Amino acid sequence: MTLGRADLEALDATDPLASFRDEFALPEGVLYLDGNSLGALPRATPARLARLVEEEWGRDLIRSWNTAGWIDLPRRVGEAIAPVVGAAPGQVIAADSTSVNLFKLAAAAVGMRPGRRVILSEPGNFPTDLYVLQGLAELLGDRVELVLAERHELADALDGDVALLLLTHVHYKTGRVHDLPGLTAAAHAAGALTLWDLSHSAGALEVELDAAGADFAVGCGYKYLNGGPGAPAWLYVAQRHQGQVRQPLAGWMGHAAPFAFEDRFRPADGMARQLCGTPGILGMAALEEGVRIVARADRARLREKSRRLGDLFLTLVAEQCGPDSFALACPADGAERGSQVSLSHPEGYAIVQALIARGVIGDFRAPDILRFGFAPLYLRYTDIWDAVAHLAAVMRDGDWQADRFRQRAAVT
Amino acid sequence: MTLGRADLEALDATDPLASFRDEFALPEGVLYLDGNSLGALPRATPARLARLVEEEWGRDLIRSWNTAGWIDLPRRVGEAIAPVVGAAPGQVIAADSTSVNLFKLAAAAVGMRPGRRVILSEPGNFPTDLYVLQGLAELLGDRVELVLAERHELADALDGDVALLLLTHVHYKTGRVHDLPGLTAAAHAAGALTLWDLSHSAGALEVELDAAGADFAVGCGYKYLNGGPGAPAWLYVAQRHQGQVRQPLAGWMGHAAPFAFEDRFRPADGMARQLCGTPGILGMAALEEGVRIVARADRARLREKSRRLGDLFLTLVAEQCGPDSFALACPADGAERGSQVSLSHPEGYAIVQALIARGVIGDFRAPDILRFGFAPLYLRYTDIWDAVAHLAAVMRDGDWQADRFRQRAAVT
């Protein structure tokens, strides 16, 4: 028995997260399956930014560092993110970019494991994770070596030379989920520390950093946290490590007394030492609005819905496009998959462009991956039906064969 | 013969920069002498941000990386800043914070001078400059040593062990200006590279990086560039060094082909390799609006006006408060001073608070400095008259002795 649109309407009608959609300003005529690249705009954000710009900056000027609480935003936003990733208070702060935060924590971890020189990751990890480690290894010369092991060989590669295991929890391309608690325990058994990149997890998956005994984590603010383009990122340091962590980007905001203007760096207590320069207040305020929404949603429900959206998408693609239309480039089992599905097709680029022309926004990842993300806060089950109907039409009618869809843009 | 307010009205009437004031949204009843901490709000910025948020982000979503040119903002903003600091195109890019950019370039410079381990700076330099160097030195161990020499001893300290001379062009507290061309030449004669922090210079002083043969520079976006609170910073790398500079924060935006998603880092050509993570688009757009205004102003006129504003302020303080009311904590000679004056007084903190209560915004720097900055784009000569009149009244009436002004806030 195949599914009908009415089945998905029924799911929407009983969706306990349905009301969250009203908190986002989604454009008419668009089916947005790319919230894993750039989250949608919260309705509250434009007014928050207008107030920040016109009143706090324009009218109150420098005083707003105190009176509008700008100076406290990195901590406040971090505390709002903490429960979203299963962290007790005092362990998360918003700062810089994911890349910069990876550098801070990878360097700190190496310092905490003298005599061990390996940072272990996997090939095909999100590029910036690997690049930042290469930059650190180049800077530190013989003191650090980046070793990449395939997923199934990671556990074996955790030997006595490994200082840090750095992985992205949900793979950006395949959506495959790592066993965060299991690999964390394995790393600890080998005497290594762990650094989890949760960019594709926070706000869509259930992550329990404290329960897993995680050491460090980072994540970006512009995907499921809806913080806007290039939003500040965040980082997590387990309470037990906070006294020992010396991250090398020792800017003035990480000082114990930034406004004492001392010559000598003294790291702040707790998470504040993870700060570096002056925080970008526009980005922090927008991120706070996005996080506020996510933090009110039940994580188990977010995860359950995200999985069902993905399962339904795959079922409907098989039913409506035919079982051989695409190769599966993600796990078929929703439990092993993040909040996205990936299909492969030699003409993937052109197909994604043809879908975009129809208002179905997914994205393409070289060489041949069509990636569709499911933001459980604002997607409806019927959106999945409608998106797959467009995909089936594109394949049936051959839309994608038009020249205008096959020409690659500089940035995709 | 003492000055009268009419003398300053006459200066305003013939000020060739006077029309720029209309491009800023300045609050009623405020005399803002703190544009060197946070520049005022350009009138064009709120609409630009509203459009960015509601249309580019909210309506066009992920597509705006291409269609709205987000991906190009760091380069575009950098190119707009370049002429403001006397740089030919292709040498400036906007990115991260000043602190993060200092780390990138200091690390790169050390790599370019193998065998030399000293980074030379001065005590009392802006804290983040010193802290970042301490963080780098701690990370690199024996390979780097931070040496501080007093201003008059810097030339002598430039020996064969110095890899990099890092100085802030205009001292944040005293306003004293370093001889940028002279010290650059002296460093080069000793085989060292130079890194100039132009946070208090760009947009107010004439800086000629290319003409001085400078190697590297950084600066912040939220002072005289009017980019808003925590605006992105910028960095300059002289064309001749661009091929050799390997900065360690090797994020994906610095890759030669970020969207090829390769495992191996290959630095981009030119300035793009100075990028790290995904740029904060809200901050970049606001900075672009601020820079657009500054870039249209003649640098020589900005510098001339900034000097006159400072000279007049000091003259009027002597005339109206009495010659012994304050000790001078900045050079008396405008040619040796940046776009600010500093006075010292044991009750400096309370006096600054009493001024703020009257709408005169300056700031206090521990332990006893009253600092007043002069943003030549939007300050009027009569503002100087009025501000000093308030200062004289505060001193005469003893406003500052009120308890509420003497209690220090956590952040000042």
Side-chain angles (χ1 to χ4, degrees):
Chain A
M1 196 194 83
T2 58
L3 287 164
R5 196 172 193 279
D7 297 310
L8 290 103
E9 284 166 7
L11 289 173
D12 281 331
T14 56
D15 175 8
L17 299 172
S19 68
F20 282 104
R21 180 175 169 92
D22 296 338
E23 303 191 37
F24 292 89
L26 292 157
E28 283 296 310
V30 167
L31 295 166
Y32 193 55
L33 306 186
D34 211 6
N36 54 332
S37 268
L38 175 64
L41 170 66
R43 277 191 200 284
T45 302
R48 167 75 184 272
L49 285 173
R51 199 169 61 241
L52 163 59
V53 171
E54 293 176 42
E55 297 174 19
E56 298 176 14
W57 173 15
R59 185 191 66 199
D60 299 336
L61 291 157
I62 190 70
R63 293 166 287 190
S64 289
W65 280 104
N66 290 312
T67 56
W70 290 350
I71 196 73
D72 198 35
L73 267 171
R75 191 197 61 78
R76 217 164 72 205
V77 175
E79 295 296 14
I81 293 171
V84 176
V85 292
Q91 301 178 108
V92 178
I93 200 160
D96 299 310
S97 65
T98 308
S99 302
V100 168
N101 292 336
L102 284 165
F103 186 91
K104 291 174 188 166
L105 292 178
V110 167
M112 290 167 69
R113 287 292 179 271
R116 290 172 176 243
R117 50 196 293 279
V118 169
I119 299 180
L120 181 62
S121 191
E122 63 173 332
N125 192 354
F126 188 73
T128 218
D129 298 69
L130 298 180
Y131 299 163
V132 164
L133 298 181
Q134 289 168 42
L136 180 66
E138 187 173 325
L139 182 66
L140 295 186
D142 292 343
R143 277 169 54 201
V144 169
E145 183 190 1
L146 175 59
V147 172
L148 303 183
E150 295 291 346
R151 196 160 275 242
H152 62 279
E153 293 166 343
L154 282 168
D156 283 347
L158 279 167
D159 62 25
D161 206 22
V162 177
L164 179 70
L165 173 65
L166 186 158
L167 294 169
T168 302
H169 182 222
V170 175
H171 194 280
Y172 78 102
K173 208 189 281 190
T174 67
R176 189 176 289 277
V177 179
H178 273 297
D179 172 9
L180 187 152
L183 280 163
T184 299
H188 290 175
L193 295 161
T194 54
L195 170 47
W196 289 99
D197 182 342
L198 301 181
S199 290
H200 286 271
S201 309
L205 270 69
E206 276 185 284
V207 180
E208 301 289 348
L209 287 174
D210 285 349
D215 303 292
F216 307 122
V218 299
C220 87
Y222 50 78
K223 298 179 187 288
Y224 300 111
L225 300 184
N226 307 301
W234 56 270
L235 33 72
Y236 161 94
V237 175
Q239 194 81 52
R240 67 185 180 283
H241 293 314
Q242 290 181 9
Q244 296 96 63
V245 171
R246 289 295 293 247
Q247 64 92 355
L249 298 180
W252 70 314
M253 287 292 152
H255 193 276
F259 296 92
F261 299 98
E262 301 170 1
D263 274 6
R264 193 81 219 152
F265 185 72
R266 291 186 293 124
D269 286 339
M271 290 305 295
R273 71 172 60 178
Q274 301 301 332
L275 299 179
C276 183
T278 307
I281 297 305
L282 300 179
M284 285 282 169
L287 177 56
E288 188 170 45
E289 292 303 322
V291 171
R292 251 181 206 158
I293 306 175
V294 184
R296 291 203 321 276
D298 181 84
R299 269 180 297 152
R301 285 181 169 163
L302 284 173
R303 174 52 170 155
E304 189 199 340
K305 182 177 174 186
S306 105
R307 208 154 104 177
R308 287 180 89 171
L309 292 167
D311 286 344
L312 282 164
F313 189 94
L314 292 179
T315 301
L316 290 170
V317 167
E319 286 181 9
Q320 300 192 13
C321 304
D324 302 323
S325 52
F326 295 95
L328 200 59
C330 62
D333 179 353
E336 294 172 16
R337 206 176 57 220
S339 199
Q340 64 183 73
V341 302
S342 302
L343 308 174
S344 79
H345 190 289
E347 295 291 346
Y349 178 81
I351 296 167
V352 167
Q353 298 312 307
L355 280 171
I356 290 172
R358 287 165 163 268
V360 181
I361 318 286
D363 57 22
F364 171 76
R365 286 291 174 259
D368 60 359
I369 303 282
L370 300 88
R371 190 180 73 164
F372 302 98
F374 309 109
L377 276 178
Y378 49 81
L379 276 190
R380 294 169 298 205
Y381 290 97
T382 44
D383 292 336
I384 302 301
W385 174 273
D386 297 339
V388 176
H390 279 293
L391 178 59
V394 163
M395 300 312 289
R396 189 179 59 235
D397 303 346
D399 286 24
W400 57 269
Q401 295 176 40
D403 279 352
R404 72 180 190 285
F405 295 141
R406 305 187 73 176
Q407 211 135 43
R408 297 205 181 185
V411 183
T412 60
Chain B
M1 196 193 83
T2 57
L3 287 165
R5 196 172 192 279
D7 297 310
L8 291 103
E9 284 165 9
L11 288 173
D12 282 329
T14 56
D15 175 8
L17 298 173
S19 67
F20 282 103
R21 180 177 170 90
D22 295 337
E23 303 192 35
F24 292 89
L26 292 156
E28 283 295 310
V30 167
L31 295 166
Y32 194 55
L33 306 186
D34 210 6
N36 53 332
S37 268
L38 174 66
L41 171 67
R43 277 192 200 284
T45 302
R48 167 75 184 272
L49 285 172
R51 199 168 62 240
L52 164 58
V53 171
E54 295 177 40
E55 297 175 20
E56 297 176 14
W57 173 15
R59 184 190 67 199
D60 299 336
L61 291 156
I62 189 69
R63 293 166 288 190
S64 290
W65 281 104
N66 290 312
T67 57
W70 289 351
I71 196 72
D72 198 36
L73 267 171
R75 190 197 63 77
R76 217 163 73 204
V77 174
E79 294 295 14
I81 294 171
V84 176
V85 291
Q91 300 178 109
V92 177
I93 199 160
D96 298 310
S97 65
T98 308
S99 302
V100 168
N101 291 337
L102 283 166
F103 185 91
K104 291 174 188 167
L105 293 178
V110 167
M112 289 166 69
R113 287 292 180 272
R116 289 171 175 243
R117 49 194 295 280
V118 168
I119 299 180
L120 181 63
S121 190
E122 63 174 330
N125 192 355
F126 188 74
T128 218
D129 298 69
L130 298 180
Y131 299 163
V132 164
L133 297 181
Q134 289 168 41
L136 180 67
E138 187 173 326
L139 182 67
L140 294 187
D142 291 344
R143 277 169 53 200
V144 170
E145 183 189 2
L146 175 59
V147 172
L148 303 183
E150 294 291 347
R151 198 160 274 243
H152 62 279
E153 292 166 343
L154 281 168
D156 283 345
L158 279 166
D159 62 26
D161 205 23
V162 177
L164 178 70
L165 173 66
L166 185 158
L167 293 169
T168 302
H169 182 221
V170 176
H171 194 280
Y172 77 102
K173 208 189 283 190
T174 67
R176 189 176 289 276
V177 178
H178 273 297
D179 172 8
L180 188 152
L183 281 163
T184 299
H188 289 175
L193 295 161
T194 54
L195 169 48
W196 289 98
D197 182 342
L198 300 181
S199 291
H200 285 270
S201 309
L205 269 69
E206 276 186 283
V207 180
E208 301 289 346
L209 287 174
D210 285 349
D215 302 292
F216 307 122
V218 299
C220 87
Y222 51 79
K223 297 178 187 290
Y224 301 110
L225 300 184
N226 307 301
W234 56 270
L235 32 73
Y236 161 94
V237 176
Q239 194 81 52
R240 67 186 180 281
H241 293 314
Q242 291 182 8
Q244 297 96 65
V245 172
R246 288 295 293 248
Q247 64 91 355
L249 298 179
W252 71 315
M253 286 293 151
H255 193 276
F259 295 92
F261 297 99
E262 301 170 2
D263 275 6
R264 194 81 222 152
F265 185 72
R266 291 186 293 124
D269 287 339
M271 290 306 292
R273 70 173 58 179
Q274 301 300 332
L275 301 178
C276 182
T278 308
I281 297 304
L282 300 179
M284 285 281 169
L287 177 56
E288 188 170 43
E289 292 304 320
V291 171
R292 251 182 206 156
I293 305 174
V294 183
R296 291 203 320 276
D298 181 86
R299 269 180 298 153
R301 284 181 171 164
L302 284 173
R303 174 52 170 155
E304 190 198 340
K305 182 176 174 187
S306 104
R307 208 153 105 176
R308 287 179 90 169
L309 291 167
D311 285 346
L312 282 164
F313 189 95
L314 292 178
T315 302
L316 290 169
V317 166
E319 286 183 8
Q320 300 192 12
C321 304
D324 302 322
S325 53
F326 296 95
L328 200 59
C330 62
D333 179 353
E336 294 172 15
R337 205 176 56 222
S339 198
Q340 65 184 74
V341 302
S342 303
L343 307 174
S344 78
H345 190 288
E347 295 290 347
Y349 179 81
I351 296 167
V352 167
Q353 298 312 307
L355 280 172
I356 289 173
R358 288 166 163 267
V360 181
I361 318 285
D363 57 22
F364 172 76
R365 286 290 174 259
D368 60 358
I369 304 282
L370 300 87
R371 190 180 73 164
F372 302 98
F374 309 108
L377 276 179
Y378 48 81
L379 276 190
R380 294 170 297 206
Y381 290 97
T382 45
D383 292 335
I384 301 301
W385 175 272
D386 297 339
V388 175
H390 279 291
L391 179 60
V394 162
M395 301 311 289
R396 190 181 57 235
D397 303 345
D399 286 24
W400 58 268
Q401 295 176 41
D403 279 352
R404 72 181 191 285
F405 296 140
R406 305 186 75 176
Q407 211 135 40
R408 295 203 182 188
V411 182
T412 60

